[in-house]
Amino acid sequence: MYDKRGPHEIHPGQWSALRFLSRAGEEARTVNGLATFLGVTPAPASRAAAALVKRGFVTQEPNPNDRRSHTLSLTEDGRAALAQDPIARLANAVGELDGDVRRAVTRALTQIHHSLTGGV
């Protein structure tokens, strides 16, 4: 999935953060909201956000409703990066499959998911 893995590439957790920020409402777009979404503590979410800010993909502004937090927002560069999202590329490729093949892939992925999660 993530064919580019160098130190200057977007890491899988950062891709997840970009996806979250592209869909989340303003109130949720905080480090704590990101941490909840990613299922991590605030420290790694803060590091992911800081790395995305440093790369120019995200801005961080004081939250007008809570002076202790900041609102995270995608920049134009962040939206441009999302246009190259490997997960979106996979979803588009699956979407282009013939209906029967797409259903077979869906069944296979569902079975794999159940095997990995114990049927949850």
Side-chain angles (χ1 to χ4, degrees):
M1 279 306 317
Y2 301 101
D3 53 346
K4 298 178 182 176
R5 295 189 177 219
H8 301 292
E9 301 299 332
I10 300 173
H11 299 262
Q14 293 170 346
W15 279 116
S16 293
L18 290 173
R19 287 184 211 107
F20 168 75
L21 294 173
S22 74
R23 296 186 311 257
E26 185 174 351
E27 290 296 315
R29 288 192 329 259
T30 64
V31 167
N32 284 336
L34 179 59
T36 299
F37 174 78
L38 294 174
V40 298
T41 62
S46 181
R47 286 191 296 272
L52 293 170
V53 167
K54 184 176 180 178
R55 294 185 69 173
F57 294 147
V58 171
T59 60
Q60 184 173 294
E61 301 293 329
N63 184 338
N65 300 320
D66 182 355
R67 299 187 73 175
R68 298 168 296 162
S69 71
H70 292 82
T71 300
L72 304 169
S73 301
L74 289 179
T75 64
E76 288 299 319
D77 286 347
R79 283 187 276 285
L82 270 174
Q84 304 304 314
D85 181 358
I87 297 291
R89 290 180 17 228
L90 174 62
N92 290 337
V94 170
E96 293 172 0
L97 295 173
D98 175 66
D100 290 337
V101 175
R102 187 173 51 247
R103 284 186 286 281
V105 168
T106 300
R107 282 191 306 276
L109 290 174
T110 300
Q111 185 175 353
I112 291 168
H113 172 73
H114 285 298
S115 294
L116 293 174
T117 62
V120 176

